[in-house]
Amino acid sequence: MTNADVHADAPHGHDDAPDPQEEVTPWRHSDVSLTLRFPPFADPAAAERRPLPPHDPVRARRVVEELGTVAEVLEQLPARPVGDLTWPQVRADLDFVSVGCWGNLVAVFEPALGSDLLCEAMTAEVARQRERHPEARIVGSVALDYGNSYLEDHVVLPTGEEVFAGGWDCDDEEGWSFVGDPEALLRALGTPRERAAEVGFDLDDAPRDRVWSDLGLLALGLHGPLAGGGVEHRRVSTFRVRRSEEGAGNLDDVWLQQF
């Protein structure tokens, strides 16, 4: 069951009463997430990560209310595990944002942050969060499947290092966008390039072939097993929201475009 099955009449900010059951364009295993890790940061050499604290639903509401894509929270649904979340299948699903707050780790699952090389929704929110939380490590990750997939990863450290990689899996390297020095970012994390390669991010690969999402996991300290189980078992709060003008525009550009 999707969120739309619970609230089939939920609008996402349009005045022309669109069909809430209109199918979205990206396929169902698309994924969009924004994650912040606050100090203290884990030892990059640790073999196992410490267990995460329980989810804080009060803080989660504050997080969703501060997003640039949200104008108002209309409803808070019961908490559920990350592994139970489903990504948008129909228009009505675009009204929902899920947030997990586990101690110094905050994860936001927000379709309106979906991006491509024309829509810069995630980049804009990363910049907003960087201004609001300069002490945090921030990772934005996008995977949108239109048959061919658009992939984007954005990693920002409080020490100033920043890396961006984005492009379509069907394009060669000239069609991709790369910003920043990933080797400098690894040095700032205290992670040798050999250790990064063991995790999955290999600097010896061509930029187009690197698994940039693994660089984000390194920055967040989520590249090793978590004591007590992985993030997919952690609970999150889900919110039905009224979209800001920016959020509604992002959804139209990425999830409802017609080819």
Side-chain angles (χ1 to χ4, degrees):
M1 183 173 66
T2 71
N3 291 323
D5 296 321
V6 180
H7 294 279
D9 59 345
H12 81 268
H14 293 265
D15 297 327
D16 54 353
D19 178 7
Q21 297 304 309
E22 175 190 354
E23 291 189 359
V24 299
T25 308
W27 292 6
R28 295 180 182 180
H29 47 284
S30 296
D31 185 30
V32 182
S33 61
L34 172 71
T35 311
L36 292 84
R37 189 115 208 194
F38 295 87
F41 303 120
D43 178 359
E48 184 178 61
R49 309 293 134 194
R50 297 176 61 182
L52 296 172
H55 170 58
D56 182 347
V58 175
R59 186 183 178 197
R61 187 180 182 104
R62 292 198 301 269
V63 169
V64 76
E65 289 174 337
E66 293 174 354
L67 293 173
T69 52
V70 172
E72 181 184 7
V73 172
L74 302 176
E75 182 181 8
Q76 184 166 346
L77 280 64
R80 53 180 166 172
V82 171
D84 288 353
L85 294 179
T86 58
W87 277 93
Q89 300 177 29
V90 297
R91 180 187 285 266
D93 290 331
L94 300 174
D95 295 315
F96 296 89
V97 183
S98 295
V99 178
C101 293
W102 313 298
N104 70 339
L105 183 66
V106 174
V108 180
F109 305 92
E110 161 60 305
L113 297 181
S115 305
D116 54 30
L117 289 177
L118 298 177
C119 174
E120 299 182 343
M122 182 63 80
T123 299
E125 189 61 39
V126 167
R128 184 181 290 110
Q129 295 294 327
R130 186 179 196 176
E131 182 175 356
R132 185 180 292 273
H133 302 292
E135 76 282 17
R137 295 177 180 178
I138 305 172
V139 174
S141 184
V142 176
L144 293 172
D145 186 350
Y146 298 93
N148 294 316
S149 292
Y150 175 77
L151 306 172
E152 177 178 308
D153 291 280
H154 196 167
V155 182
V156 177
L157 302 186
T159 46
E161 292 80 9
E162 180 174 5
V163 168
F164 173 92
W168 292 87
D169 63 356
C170 55
D171 286 347
D172 57 22
E173 194 156 304
E174 286 70 24
W176 279 60
S177 176
F178 301 102
V179 177
D181 183 349
E183 190 163 12
L185 191 142
L186 288 175
R187 287 196 298 269
L189 293 174
T191 303
R193 60 185 293 154
E194 295 79 13
R195 171 60 176 153
E198 292 173 3
V199 171
F201 183 75
D202 193 341
L203 283 169
D204 290 334
D205 291 337
R208 164 67 179 75
D209 297 328
R210 294 171 185 163
V211 185
W212 292 94
S213 58
D214 284 336
L215 181 61
L217 293 178
L218 282 162
L220 296 170
L222 297 176
H223 53 286
L226 282 168
V231 170
E232 68 273 10
H233 301 298
R234 309 302 303 179
R235 299 185 76 79
V236 297
S237 294
T238 297
F239 304 88
R240 185 169 67 92
V241 304
R242 181 172 64 84
R243 291 296 181 187
S244 65
E245 183 177 352
E246 176 184 353
N250 293 346
L251 293 172
D252 280 342
D253 289 344
V254 172
W255 293 90
L256 297 167
Q257 62 179 301
Q258 301 296 319
F259 294 101

